[in-house]
Amino acid sequence: MVHISSTWLGQIFMGKVGMPSSGTLEVIDHRNGRRYHLEISDNAIQASDLQQIRAEPMLGSASSSVSGLKVLDPGFANRAVMKSQITHVDGIEGTIHYRQHSLADLFGHHTYEEVAYLLVWGHLPSRLESEQFRSSLVEALTPPPLVAEAVTSFPSDAPPFSMILAGLAAYAAWRPESVPTAAGNANIYLGRADRVDQAIIRTMSAMAALVALVYCHQHNKSFTRPDPSKTFIENILLMMGFTEKENKTPDPKVVGCLNKLWVLYCDHEMTNSTAAFLHVASTLADPISCCTAYVASGNGPLHAGAIDLAYKAFERLGTPDKVLPMIEDVKAKKYRLFGYGHRIYKTVDPRLGFIRAMLDDFPETVKQNPLFAVAMEIDKIASQDHYFTSRKLKANADLYGCFVYTALGFEPDIILLLTMLSRLPGVMAHWRESIGMPMPISSRAVLTMTVDQQPRLWRPQQVYVG
């Protein structure tokens, strides 16, 4: 038996102080009576500190019993793998902050490009920085023939994510000098902020070009070369051929809406797909290669793939009168309800209010979509049902986010790729942070840099029970 206490518990029970973020944790191992004092910093302990807690060796005992205490945490339910200054998601209060800027402020006053810059480089860009960022993105947007051929080699009705994976492999093959093992140099990016920043630009533009190529291939459209005078989002729509028929330019209303929606999706802290990217990146792999893990993870039903599955579930139901029987099946564990509940949030997803407000800008288009009535009915019933309310299960951004895309005219099968593309700046920010790149001098974050400057290979352990 292991007994745990801390230096501040008594004070909390006496009502003297609130819960601090630092202090000391006392551990009493009742197997041998030993006491240990572990440092608490930022409301966390170092997992390696637990290795000093070990039992006395016994005849015939497994080596794991004397090698130090491990934390068994299936699914990383309560495990932090790094410290970060990028995004804070408060699942209790229902708030999101990017670099200490509230999501509401960024949503209301800044463009997607500005927020992407903020996430990656730690401060909102000046006018000159914005222009340079945009110019660099556009310059890298045109895909090489090798990449285009990789995408078009698939049947047009192939799963979109599989074409993206092939395209990423083609990008890596196109520039082998950017792949550490192919270049014979493990330190291509370590300590080289210039190369890291160039790689971030290339990766964001490569994913944008791939999404456009896939969309064009799906719909038998010609790929349109990017226009240096247009924004990143405008060029994505232009390359996709998602333009107004009269002048062949992106609809300003669609551009404005994506600018808002993508701010909401720009980052979400240590998600499964971000962690998948960083897991591969810990080997010092290049970011294009790491993106294959990011895309594969995002396609999964329990992650971003929930967006596709939520919409497909609405299609299967068809009409609101079929919602109640489906809810009963969910409660009986016969069916999984996508778009409802979130591992982090114990209250309403803070992005949901903004998404609903955006849908109000397209009342007729939304009303004409019969599946929106299905989603509304799901939300209505679930929000009043004890099964959901007692478990603090609320609607999340997946439930309504797909309707913004369909209101703009996008087909359901491209929604997942667009969502993952919008999230990429956050992933790039985490990669930059993980390899210890300092913030620019103009960023206040440089004053409080806490990131370990030496990347470490992510190699989890197991508890052997055979």
Side-chain angles (χ1 to χ4, degrees):
M1 176 179 179
V2 177
H3 173 76
I4 299 177
S5 63
S6 71
T7 57
W8 40 260
L9 278 178
Q11 293 178 321
I12 292 171
F13 292 143
M14 294 172 64
K16 292 183 178 180
V17 295
M19 185 176 291
S21 62
S22 61
T24 303
L25 185 73
E26 182 181 47
V27 179
I28 303 174
D29 190 343
H30 288 281
R31 296 174 299 179
N32 51 31
R34 291 178 180 170
R35 293 173 179 261
Y36 304 87
H37 293 86
L38 311 181
E39 181 182 353
I40 301 172
S41 177
D42 296 315
N43 202 34
I45 64 170
Q46 292 289 334
S48 58
D49 287 349
L50 297 175
Q51 291 179 326
Q52 62 184 301
I53 303 174
R54 60 186 70 218
E56 296 295 337
M58 297 177 62
L59 186 63
S61 64
S63 60
S64 60
S65 65
V66 296
S67 61
L69 199 66
K70 295 179 180 178
V71 177
L72 180 60
D73 186 17
F76 304 108
N78 189 35
R79 175 67 61 93
V81 294
M82 62 188 297
K83 290 186 176 182
S84 179
Q85 298 176 335
I86 299 169
T87 298
H88 180 238
V89 177
D90 189 326
I92 305 299
E93 296 295 327
T95 60
I96 299 175
H97 287 79
Y98 299 157
R99 300 283 190 185
Q100 301 183 5
H101 293 261
S102 73
L103 187 63
D105 176 64
L106 296 172
F107 179 86
H109 301 101
H110 295 281
T111 66
Y112 173 72
E113 284 182 9
E114 291 171 336
V115 175
Y117 192 100
L118 167 69
L119 286 168
V120 175
W121 288 286
H123 67 278
L124 289 166
S126 65
R127 182 174 179 178
L128 177 60
E129 288 170 328
S130 290
E131 292 173 352
Q132 292 174 337
F133 181 43
R134 178 179 299 174
S135 176
S136 297
L137 287 169
V138 174
E139 188 176 341
L141 273 175
T142 302
L146 175 66
V147 172
E149 290 166 6
V151 171
T152 56
S153 67
F154 284 76
S156 60
D157 60 351
F161 88 97
S162 62
M163 291 187 265
I164 293 289
L165 291 176
L168 288 170
Y171 263 112
W174 178 54
R175 298 193 63 147
E177 70 277 7
S178 67
V179 180
T181 50
N185 179 7
N187 297 321
I188 287 179
Y189 303 107
L190 282 179
R192 293 297 303 269
D194 56 335
R195 290 181 179 176
V196 169
D197 292 344
Q198 290 167 6
I200 288 172
I201 296 294
R202 286 200 305 269
T203 304
M204 288 179 59
S205 293
M207 277 291 289
L210 281 171
V211 170
L213 284 168
V214 168
Y215 186 81
C216 289
H217 185 48
Q218 285 179 315
H219 299 280
N220 195 29
K221 292 186 175 186
S222 298
F223 178 87
T224 304
R225 294 179 64 87
D227 183 342
S229 68
K230 298 191 181 301
T231 68
F232 187 56
I233 286 180
E234 285 176 327
N235 268 307
I236 291 169
L237 297 172
L238 182 65
M239 292 187 299
M240 294 172 69
F242 200 89
T243 56
E244 295 182 294
K245 294 181 179 179
E246 298 78 16
N247 52 23
K248 301 297 182 182
T249 60
D251 184 341
K253 191 170 184 178
V254 175
V255 173
C257 194
L258 288 183
N259 256 313
K260 297 295 186 185
L261 183 64
W262 284 16
V263 166
L264 301 180
Y265 285 133
C266 211
D267 190 42
H268 207 234
E269 213 182 84
M270 190 56 62
T271 65
N272 185 279
S273 52
T274 300
F277 181 103
L278 294 176
H279 202 120
V280 177
S282 75
T283 69
L284 301 185
D286 64 286
I288 290 287
S289 298
C290 296
C291 267
T292 59
Y294 168 71
V295 171
S297 167
N299 186 64
L302 296 186
H303 193 22
I307 296 173
D308 270 0
L309 291 177
Y311 201 86
K312 287 180 171 64
F314 303 152
E315 289 180 325
R316 284 195 298 271
L317 291 171
T319 56
D321 60 289
K322 296 180 181 178
V323 169
L324 185 56
M326 181 271 291
I327 292 291
E328 294 303 318
D329 284 345
V330 170
K331 292 158 61 176
K333 310 292 186 183
K334 298 178 181 178
Y335 182 83
R336 190 182 190 101
L337 180 59
F338 291 97
Y340 224 85
H342 197 284
R343 182 159 163 173
I344 299 298
Y345 298 115
K346 304 306 178 187
T347 185
V348 176
D349 188 325
R351 300 167 296 180
L352 191 56
F354 298 113
I355 292 175
R356 282 174 168 163
M358 295 174 70
L359 288 171
D360 290 342
D361 293 335
F362 302 91
E364 293 304 317
T365 306
V366 171
K367 190 182 300 183
Q368 291 170 9
N369 187 340
L371 303 186
F372 184 69
V374 173
M376 291 289 288
E377 187 69 8
I378 291 173
D379 196 14
K380 176 185 174 183
I381 294 175
S383 64
Q384 299 172 358
D385 191 294
H386 179 72
Y387 177 89
F388 294 92
T389 58
S390 64
R391 292 168 171 78
K392 297 184 178 180
L393 299 176
K394 309 283 186 178
N396 62 46
D398 297 333
L399 189 65
Y400 288 100
C402 54
F403 289 106
V404 176
Y405 283 110
T406 55
L408 294 175
F410 290 104
E411 294 80 2
D413 58 2
I414 198 66
I415 292 175
L416 175 58
L417 295 187
L418 289 171
T419 302
M420 295 199 69
L421 175 58
S422 69
R423 177 70 57 81
L424 199 56
V427 178
M428 293 292 96
H430 287 285
W431 176 61
R432 195 179 193 279
E433 184 180 63
S434 73
I435 58 175
M437 288 295 100
M439 291 293 100
I441 296 300
S442 57
S443 171
R444 290 173 296 176
V446 74
L447 301 176
T448 55
M449 176 64 71
T450 61
V451 180
D452 184 356
Q453 297 295 306
Q454 295 299 320
R456 298 186 64 181
L457 179 71
W458 288 18
R459 204 287 190 186
Q461 300 183 38
Q462 66 173 15
V463 174
Y464 178 68
V465 295

